[in-house]
Amino acid sequence: MSTAAGSRKRSTSSVSQDDVKSGKQVKKSELEKGPSNPFADTSSPTDPFVSLDDEVVRAFVDLKKDHSNGNLSIRTVLPLSDFEIKELERVLHFHEPPEEDEWRPDWSGNIAYLDKEVPNPKVVPVKEKKSSFKQPFIAWAHTIPGAATWVYNLLRYVYHKDGTPSAARAMIRSVDASSVTAMEEAVRRMTYDPDVLREDGWVTKRVLTPVGATGGAYHIAAKIRWMDSDAVIIAYVHDPEIGDLWKALWIDEKTCFDLEYEEVLKAKRKWERKYMNQVDNNRKSARYGGSADYIVPGTHYGIVLAASFGKGARPGVYWPARVMHASETVGTAQPGKRNSAKQKVDLIFLAPYWQADQGPGRPRKPDGMSEAPGSAFASVPLFLLESVEATDEMIKEYTFGANGKLDMNELRMSFQFTGLPKQAFSRYVDGHRLAMALKLYAKNHLNAKMTPPDRASAGLFETHVMSIQAPHFPRVILELPFVYILDQLNRVNDGKRLMAEEEQPLQLHEIVKVMEPPGCWGVHPTEATTQPVTNGAPPAWSPFQSLDLKNDTSSLPPASLFVEGDNSSAPSNDLFQTMVTGLTFLKRIFNDKQIAPSVTLLRTSVSELFALLSEMLERKSPAENRKKQKSTIKYWVTVKRIGIETLTMYGGEKHEVLAEWNLFIERVYKQILNTFAEGTDGKRASLVLSDYRCNGHRTSDGCFERAVRLPAALKGAKLAGAGTNPYHSIVPSVDDVYIDFALKKVLPMAHAKSYLERMRMRCALAKDDDRGLILTDDSSGDGGADTRGSKGTWDAAVAAVATVVSAVDKIIYGEASSAFCATRPPGHHAGRTLHPMKAVSNGFCILNAAACAALYAVAPVSEGGLGLSKVCVIDFDVHHGNGTQDILCSTYDPRFLYVSMHAGGAHVNGVSMEDDPDHQLHVLAGSAKQGIYPGRCGDTSPHEGVLNIPLGEKVLSHDIGLALISKVVPKVSTFLPDMVIISAGFDAHKCDPMGLGGLSAADFGHITDVICSLAAKSCSGRVVSILEGGYGVPCCREQRRDANGDSISITSSVCLDVGVTPTYTISSPKGDTDVFENDATTSSRDTAGVPETKLITDSVHREKDHGVNVNSTAPNQMLFASNGGSTVPGTFPQPSRILYLGDDLPSDMDDQVPLALQTRLEKCYAEGFIECVCEHVRALARSTK
């Protein structure tokens, strides 16, 4: 962002600058009063932590007083006729050069035409003669009689524009159409009115911690200095075209303008210098914050990811950079900087986006809604030198291109977490193109390695050790015409989604060779027989034998795949040739004349597998075809495991060999699925699975893990399109066969027998009306009070495990490519026994479905499992999955990789073992003082089978995005799992009542995209997702409270086997009371002799209600227990609205929450748990296309 960018007021209001001084500042007493907004929509969601009267703009503008026409009668606003539109275009001088203006697609862009400078609209211009005097259209309207009609016609046009906020329409309806001043004030108000801004997508409430790379809504309420006037930031929005924008209000003028991130930082510093006499303490303290011993892995290739403090760079955004060798900087060090030089590294940022030409002439999108401006990065230098502190916060390992290629889809997904405008994506790609080219050149031609004398050399050079370790690139390489080279490459597709496109890195060595004789004369050597580079790596010899590359016969298929003279086997030969295309190592193995016995077994197994593929070509009935496909897949699993075991023994190039084997065998798997594509309805499908028994788990009213989470998850899945077509269907229940299988075979694999018996007996001994029964306390009475349940909890937990096991079968056997299991209770905190990894409780969890699924997948076929070799579990719940790690990875097991990205870290969970031996201070919604549940177990990774990534006190978008791309992607790509299981917790959402996250619903979609992309590369996209946490479900029933504000619950029995008709009272919206009672039902009585209510759980038994019709979705309906629990109407606030869940919400399922939790859930109406599930399920379905 250049300095010139701030040389004008980029106001999006239609107010002339000559009149803005007429606004007056509100007195302090009026600021404290916080007047209400007469145009506020009472149905709109509110922030539970900040009341409407505390909104920033209300502290500076009296919204009620500002609108003088609030008492006018509301009128009907008619649409414009064609004649009126033509007249309005005439006075606004549309379609005239040089602007060639026309109607814009957004409401705010059209209303901004009031500020367009035009000649006198009353004067008809003479041909060949144009008026030289221009001023804003609104200024002409003040001086021309009758011009109020033109102004009002423009407001009428905006009124009927799609997307105009209802609050803005209310202002237009009530404005005095005869007064230009009144209409000007109304339009001015539209630019800062919080109700208009919220409807238009702006965030108007400040958050307490920075969000993303730019801080997001954290900057709201910040005082700034802009254009020599004091202002305050009142709103924030992320625009997909421009990036992050903040709306500011000049305090004295009541006029709004927009700022980008770099301008926000500049304006805040100006305020500090003027009023606080402070400097940017962050930059000052960072000067000597580096470490002389800090070394980034891979520095010997010269490429890293680094953050910049350069002008216009966004803190926290990591960009590809080249580490300069110490010899390149000799003679450039400034005197007196010796200590600083040892703590800094000189970097060359590659194709940076900052310091872009963004002068005052650059078009700006009014209110972030108009068409996108042109690229602002064309004139930015391709290389930028900067000295960066050698810290983990500033410099990180370059992890892109692990397979030697540039994956455009991976770049696109990582870019989404930066918060940059999408115009910068082309620079992002070019930067990585340069980084990959330089890294490949260093790897193949410079052989830079870290040596012990490097540290001593660093001391002699008075520089950082990384500058000594970095390769010294030849000058001819560094001075290549990179701008021209990049211009010749394919331009980047800026569409919403990039498919899995890969690009080979630039071969700088080959470019230089063409510039040397005889290449520079256009003469090419005839002996050009060098082996082509494979996967961006230099030619390598096979670990199995030495081959003459000129006489390489590796294109031949193995002899066992065909028999001479047998024409029927020819298709298999052709198919094999297709499967091994590009797999150099694997083809050599199959053609090794002196083959090892272990490889002989592998070749035989592959031959038999291709024979089965040939048999599959014989089409039979659909049932027989499916049976044959299932048996072929079972054998395919065996062959894949044999291949992994056989090829693991080879050293040196083991990873390359295994990667080729994995690619080959997954090609075969896809061929098996495609053979019966016409008769397989589940081909490339994405399923949503659930079970009605999961509704039987009822917790206490104060528990975050409420029963309504399951119906809400199903609603989110349906919003994502589940249930609309055969390729995205919903499976409502699991077969009883899986229930028995889970009980007898699967659960004993994961949990100790004593633990299972304890849980089963606790639930079996519960009374029918028990809700919130503590299930996890041990013999000492410890175990935490957070994990509660009811009589139906055991059946619900078993059904959840059975549903997930069923999903694993469907995925492996080709009925679907991905599946989301909407089940409860959650499970990733449940270990083999109580207190897994010293956790104080089970954190709402009963049985660990994710661990059960992983163990079932890898269990041998002889033990009832599927026989897979490797399973990866990726957990993005805000809490560490200590139970899953305890079951799968308590010690290193090469079959499993557990990855967890969660809130926590040593600086958060820094409670000493002596002070807290049992982790009693680590709570679910923790803090830096208390620690975050489940404690320190997720702060480190004990062995290579675990990748724990603690993300601090709060999980933010940029942090988890960086963790995914820089740590998770390389780890999983190396592990090569046969299946990916997701522990999908949505409690890191910014509105979740846990308060430990700052992610948006769209972020969960991006995270799922990255995981599915990993699965697509390693295991043909086989993904099973399991619902874990996420508690941002708004209230689904009217709230009943006693005089103290405590919830009044319906006493209920969970009836899963016998339909029982309840006795209860329904208060209708009209106030009428109807009592339904069935004589055939005997209501039980409690110890006080008061009849209690028995309710029914699942939809099947609801149909047995003998005519009792309970409209559970009526917004104002209240159910009262028969014991006469009293309420105090009007004493305590009801939810602003009742969430409608349709038929998925059982009629007997109540939803009473504490008043404090009800308040927290208010903000989830705008975006919460349902939207997170929707984006997650949508991404799973998107991955199958």
Side-chain angles (χ1 to χ4, degrees):
M1 181 63 62
S2 64
T3 306
S7 63
R8 65 187 181 91
K9 293 184 179 180
R10 289 169 299 192
S11 173
T12 57
S13 73
S14 56
V15 183
S16 65
Q17 298 302 316
D18 294 330
D19 296 330
V20 294
K21 295 295 182 180
S22 60
K24 65 178 181 179
Q25 189 172 5
V26 184
K27 296 180 180 179
K28 183 178 180 181
S29 59
E30 293 174 341
L31 300 182
E32 296 172 349
K33 181 179 179 181
S36 61
N37 183 356
F39 299 105
D41 182 1
T42 57
S43 65
S44 63
T46 58
D47 191 325
F49 300 108
V50 183
S51 67
L52 281 176
D53 289 342
D54 289 332
E55 213 151 15
V56 175
V57 69
R58 299 175 189 273
F60 297 92
V61 179
D62 189 333
L63 293 177
K64 184 176 181 180
K65 185 177 181 180
D66 185 55
H67 191 77
S68 58
N69 301 300
N71 297 324
L72 291 179
S73 59
I74 303 299
R75 66 174 60 84
T76 301
V77 180
L78 298 176
L80 294 179
S81 65
D82 291 341
F83 174 78
E84 289 172 320
I85 292 177
K86 293 295 182 183
E87 176 67 9
L88 198 53
E89 291 177 350
R90 183 191 67 80
V91 299
L92 290 174
H93 290 263
F94 275 15
H95 312 298
E96 292 185 6
E99 290 87 0
E100 297 288 348
D101 286 323
E102 58 185 14
W103 295 112
R104 294 170 176 170
D106 60 288
W107 74 276
S108 58
N110 289 310
I111 209 168
Y113 280 131
L114 284 177
D115 218 17
K116 179 184 177 183
E117 292 194 351
V118 297
N120 189 341
K122 204 69 174 177
V123 177
V124 179
V126 182
K127 267 189 176 184
E128 307 298 333
K129 185 177 180 181
K130 294 185 178 180
S131 173
S132 60
F133 177 68
K134 294 182 179 181
Q135 66 176 352
F137 172 66
I138 190 69
W140 287 115
H142 279 288
T143 59
I144 298 176
T149 302
W150 295 334
V151 177
Y152 186 63
N153 283 348
L154 181 57
L155 296 185
R156 288 168 58 195
Y157 182 87
V158 171
Y159 181 92
H160 291 283
K161 189 71 179 174
D162 291 340
T164 301
S166 59
R169 286 185 171 132
M171 296 179 195
I172 296 174
R173 286 197 304 269
S174 63
V175 74
D176 184 356
S178 63
S179 172
V180 175
T181 301
M183 289 186 286
E184 183 181 3
E185 291 176 354
V187 171
R188 179 193 303 145
R189 172 168 174 167
M190 291 179 196
T191 64
Y192 59 72
D193 185 276
D195 295 290
V196 176
L197 293 176
R198 280 197 301 271
E199 287 188 64
D200 209 21
W202 293 80
V203 178
T204 58
K205 308 292 180 61
R206 181 178 184 267
V207 297
L208 301 180
T209 55
V211 178
T214 63
Y218 177 73
H219 296 292
I220 294 177
K223 297 289 185 63
I224 61 175
R225 184 82 176 164
W226 197 250
M227 296 301 297
D228 297 324
S229 298
D230 295 339
V232 61
I233 297 175
I234 62 172
Y236 157 79
V237 71
H238 175 75
D239 181 84
E241 301 290 343
I242 298 178
D244 291 348
L245 286 176
W246 288 261
K247 185 175 290 293
L249 175 77
W250 270 301
I251 296 174
D252 291 334
E253 303 172 357
K254 295 195 301 183
T255 308
C256 287
F257 57 98
D258 291 350
L259 294 174
E260 294 183 5
Y261 179 62
E262 294 76 17
E263 295 170 312
V264 168
L265 296 181
K266 180 180 178 180
K268 289 176 74 173
R269 288 195 295 270
K270 285 185 177 180
W271 172 275
E272 292 173 353
R273 284 195 294 266
K274 181 175 178 61
Y275 294 104
M276 303 174 66
N277 195 25
Q278 293 182 351
V279 296
D280 193 330
N281 291 326
N282 289 332
R283 297 196 180 196
K284 184 176 180 180
S285 61
R287 178 178 174 184
Y288 296 106
S291 169
D293 297 323
Y294 178 71
I295 298 176
V296 175
T299 309
H300 54 281
Y301 294 139
I303 302 299
V304 295
L305 290 173
S308 171
F309 269 151
K311 186 177 181 180
R314 296 188 176 181
V317 173
Y318 294 91
W319 205 261
R322 179 178 73 85
V323 181
M324 292 183 67
H325 190 266
S327 61
E328 296 181 69
T329 61
V330 171
T332 62
Q334 301 180 22
K337 300 284 185 179
R338 297 180 64 178
N339 291 332
S340 175
K342 292 181 180 180
Q343 297 171 346
K344 288 185 176 182
V345 181
D346 289 326
L347 301 179
I348 301 291
F349 283 97
L350 308 176
Y353 62 91
W354 54 96
Q355 287 194 347
D357 182 13
Q358 296 177 352
R362 185 171 66 90
R364 173 66 66 98
K365 187 176 180 185
D367 275 354
M369 295 294 291
S370 294
E371 60 273 7
S375 175
F377 305 96
S379 60
V380 184
L382 197 59
F383 303 104
L384 185 63
L385 170 64
E386 183 176 342
S387 294
V388 178
E389 301 293 336
T391 65
D392 180 62
E393 291 76 19
M394 298 299 296
I395 306 176
K396 295 183 179 293
E397 179 183 4
Y398 186 83
T399 56
F400 290 85
N403 64 346
K405 298 179 181 179
L406 203 59
D407 189 332
M408 294 296 177
N409 198 33
E410 179 183 0
L411 291 182
R412 179 69 177 180
M413 289 184 290
S414 64
F415 182 79
Q416 289 174 332
F417 293 100
T418 64
L420 294 172
K422 71 178 185 179
Q423 287 91 343
F425 184 54
S426 61
R427 301 287 293 187
Y428 191 67
V429 172
D430 284 346
H432 284 281
R433 283 169 168 165
L434 294 172
M436 285 290 296
L438 291 169
K439 181 179 179 180
L440 180 63
Y441 183 87
K443 181 178 181 181
N444 293 347
H445 303 284
L446 298 182
N447 295 321
K449 294 182 179 180
M450 182 67 173
T451 59
D454 282 348
R455 295 185 185 276
S457 301
L460 294 175
F461 274 97
E462 291 293 338
T463 188
H464 194 276
V465 65
M466 282 195 287
S467 297
I468 299 297
Q469 183 183 0
H472 191 182
F473 288 93
R475 187 168 181 177
V476 65
I477 293 294
L478 298 180
E479 294 182 354
L480 284 172
F482 287 108
V483 174
Y484 176 80
I485 294 172
L486 293 174
D487 284 342
Q488 308 313 305
L489 300 179
N490 294 330
R491 290 293 86 195
V492 176
N493 177 11
D494 284 329
K496 290 184 178 180
R497 176 174 170 79
L498 284 176
M499 303 306 292
E501 302 172 357
E502 290 186 338
E503 181 180 291
Q504 290 285 353
L506 296 171
Q507 303 287 334
L508 302 183
H509 177 67
E510 297 298 324
I511 296 175
V512 172
K513 282 182 63 177
V514 173
M515 300 166 59
E516 300 172 349
C520 61
W521 296 319
V523 179
H524 302 284
T526 57
E527 63 273 16
T529 57
T530 56
Q531 182 185 4
V533 174
T534 302
N535 288 339
W541 296 109
S542 167
F544 312 103
Q545 68 172 23
S546 298
L547 294 176
D548 182 0
L549 297 179
K550 295 183 180 180
N551 300 314
D552 185 10
T553 59
S554 61
S555 61
L556 297 176
S560 55
L561 276 176
F562 63 93
V563 178
E564 287 190 28
D566 185 3
N567 296 328
S568 64
S569 63
S572 293
N573 299 337
D574 294 338
L575 181 60
F576 179 83
Q577 292 294 335
T578 302
M579 297 297 175
V580 297
T581 300
L583 307 181
T584 306
F585 292 124
L586 209 57
K587 287 193 289 186
R588 292 176 185 173
I589 294 172
F590 286 133
N591 288 275
D592 191 348
K593 301 297 172 91
Q594 301 175 350
I595 194 166
S598 59
V599 179
T600 301
L601 174 62
L602 177 59
R603 289 183 57 176
T604 303
S605 301
V606 171
S607 298
E608 293 175 355
L609 181 60
F610 273 82
L612 289 175
L613 278 173
S614 298
E615 294 177 6
M616 290 178 65
L617 297 177
E618 302 174 6
R619 299 301 180 97
K620 298 181 180 180
S621 66
E624 291 178 338
N625 287 339
R626 284 193 293 270
K627 184 177 180 181
K628 184 178 292 185
Q629 177 176 285
K630 186 173 182 178
S631 63
T632 304
I633 290 176
K634 286 183 177 180
Y635 189 70
W636 171 87
V637 171
T638 302
V639 174
K640 182 172 186 180
R641 187 178 67 253
I642 292 173
I644 293 174
E645 293 172 353
T646 301
L647 302 177
T648 300
M649 68 181 67
Y650 295 99
E653 295 158 341
K654 179 178 68 174
H655 176 69
E656 288 82 358
V657 173
L658 290 176
E660 285 195 2
W661 168 253
N662 188 77
L663 181 57
F664 165 76
I665 203 67
E666 289 298 335
R667 288 174 178 175
V668 176
Y669 176 82
K670 293 176 182 177
Q671 180 61 36
I672 296 173
L673 299 185
N674 292 336
T675 302
F676 294 138
E678 297 177 2
T680 306
D681 292 338
K683 175 181 174 289
R684 305 303 296 167
S686 182
L687 301 178
V688 175
L689 297 91
S690 188
D691 192 87
Y692 68 89
R693 281 164 281 220
C694 293
N695 283 324
H697 174 54
R698 304 295 172 92
T699 56
S700 58
D701 291 338
C703 184
F704 281 16
E705 209 286 298
R706 296 145 56 210
V708 295
R709 292 179 65 245
L710 182 54
L714 291 173
K715 180 179 178 70
K718 291 178 179 178
L719 289 175
T724 58
N725 61 74
Y727 298 101
H728 199 186
S729 59
I730 298 177
V731 181
S733 62
V734 65
D735 195 287
D736 289 341
V737 173
Y738 281 100
I739 299 289
D740 295 336
F741 182 72
L743 283 169
K744 296 176 182 178
K745 291 288 187 179
V746 179
L747 287 174
M749 297 180 187
H751 299 285
K753 183 178 180 180
S754 58
Y755 175 86
L756 295 173
E757 189 64 18
R758 174 191 295 272
M759 288 297 178
R760 188 185 68 80
M761 290 301 298
R762 283 286 178 93
C763 298
L765 296 176
K767 298 178 182 179
D768 290 345
D769 59 350
D770 281 342
R771 291 178 67 244
L773 180 70
I774 298 178
L775 299 175
T776 56
D777 54 339
D778 55 24
S779 57
S780 303
D782 298 325
D786 54 30
T787 307
R788 299 170 179 258
S790 60
K791 193 176 185 66
T793 294
W794 175 254
D795 290 339
V798 173
V801 173
T803 301
V804 175
V805 171
S806 169
V808 172
D809 271 356
K810 292 180 184 299
I811 297 301
I812 289 297
Y813 293 125
E815 294 183 44
S817 179
S818 63
F820 173 66
C821 298
T823 56
R824 56 180 298 273
H828 72 144
H829 295 310
R832 290 194 176 275
T833 60
L834 292 176
H835 306 294
M837 305 189 76
K838 297 184 179 181
V840 67
S841 69
N842 266 37
F844 309 146
C845 299
I846 308 297
L847 301 176
N848 197 318
C852 287
L855 288 167
Y856 165 67
V858 301
V861 177
S862 59
E863 298 177 11
L866 294 177
L868 301 185
S869 299
K870 299 178 184 178
V871 172
C872 175
V873 180
I874 300 179
D875 189 336
F876 57 72
D877 189 279
V878 81
H879 300 100
H880 172 247
N882 57 309
T884 307
Q885 182 176 328
D886 174 60
I887 294 172
L888 301 180
C889 303
S890 56
T891 58
Y892 176 62
D893 187 333
R895 300 176 300 172
F896 302 116
L897 172 63
Y898 175 68
V899 178
S900 178
M901 297 167 289
H902 52 272
H907 61 293
V908 177
N909 296 319
V911 183
S912 66
M913 183 66 74
E914 292 76 15
D915 295 336
D916 184 29
D918 297 319
H919 290 212
Q920 295 289 339
L921 295 180
H922 294 94
V923 295
L924 283 165
S927 67
K929 293 183 178 180
Q930 295 174 312
I932 297 175
Y933 179 89
R936 294 181 295 273
C937 52
D939 293 348
T940 57
S941 302
H943 51 71
E944 62 178 300
V946 176
L947 178 60
N948 284 325
I949 308 175
L951 298 173
E953 192 172 347
K954 204 164 190 176
V955 176
L956 301 178
S957 173
H958 184 260
D959 294 335
I960 198 169
L962 181 64
L964 274 169
I965 301 303
S966 64
K967 297 180 181 180
V968 178
V969 169
K971 186 75 173 180
V972 178
S973 298
T974 303
F975 183 68
L976 295 173
D978 297 329
M979 173 177 281
V980 175
I981 296 174
I982 303 176
S983 280
F986 304 103
D987 39 4
H989 187 259
K990 59 187 177 183
C991 296
D992 193 271
M994 282 287 178
L996 294 175
L999 304 184
S1000 66
D1003 289 333
F1004 286 103
H1006 298 332
I1007 294 168
T1008 309
D1009 281 334
V1010 175
I1011 297 174
C1012 289
S1013 176
L1014 277 172
K1017 294 177 181 178
S1018 64
C1019 55
S1020 301
R1022 295 187 291 272
V1023 175
V1024 175
S1025 176
I1026 307 166
L1027 177 63
E1028 299 287 359
Y1031 313 103
V1033 182
C1035 296
C1036 302
R1037 301 289 192 196
E1038 289 272 359
Q1039 301 299 297
R1040 305 177 304 280
R1041 306 195 185 279
D1042 59 20
N1044 297 322
D1046 297 328
S1047 301
I1048 299 176
S1049 302
I1050 298 179
T1051 307
S1052 63
S1053 294
V1054 181
C1055 307
L1056 294 175
D1057 299 318
V1058 181
V1060 180
T1061 304
T1063 301
Y1064 47 81
T1065 303
I1066 299 178
S1067 177
S1068 68
K1070 299 179 181 178
D1072 302 327
T1073 301
D1074 297 313
V1075 179
F1076 298 91
E1077 185 171 358
N1078 191 311
D1079 295 336
T1081 304
T1082 303
S1083 61
S1084 61
R1085 294 180 175 273
D1086 59 17
T1087 55
V1090 180
E1092 67 179 7
T1093 306
K1094 289 190 175 183
L1095 303 178
I1096 303 164
T1097 301
D1098 61 274
S1099 58
V1100 176
H1101 293 111
R1102 287 204 304 273
E1103 297 174 356
K1104 302 179 181 180
D1105 269 354
H1106 304 286
V1108 179
N1109 182 16
V1110 182
N1111 180 15
S1112 62
T1113 61
N1116 298 316
Q1117 180 173 299
M1118 296 177 61
L1119 288 90
F1120 296 93
S1122 300
N1123 60 12
S1126 62
T1127 62
V1128 184
T1131 305
F1132 298 97
Q1134 284 289 329
S1136 61
R1137 69 184 78 170
I1138 301 298
L1139 178 66
Y1140 176 73
L1141 295 178
D1143 294 337
D1144 293 317
L1145 181 66
S1147 60
D1148 69 311
M1149 186 178 286
D1150 199 13
D1151 186 34
Q1152 300 301 311
V1153 301
L1155 186 59
L1157 180 56
Q1158 173 189 320
T1159 305
R1160 288 191 183 189
L1161 294 174
E1162 281 292 310
K1163 57 183 176 179
C1164 296
Y1165 289 112
E1167 184 179 279
F1169 175 80
I1170 291 178
E1171 289 73 23
C1172 294
V1173 172
C1174 176
E1175 292 296 329
H1176 177 64
V1177 174
R1178 185 173 287 149
L1180 289 173
R1182 186 165 58 236
S1183 68
T1184 64
K1185 297 179 180 179

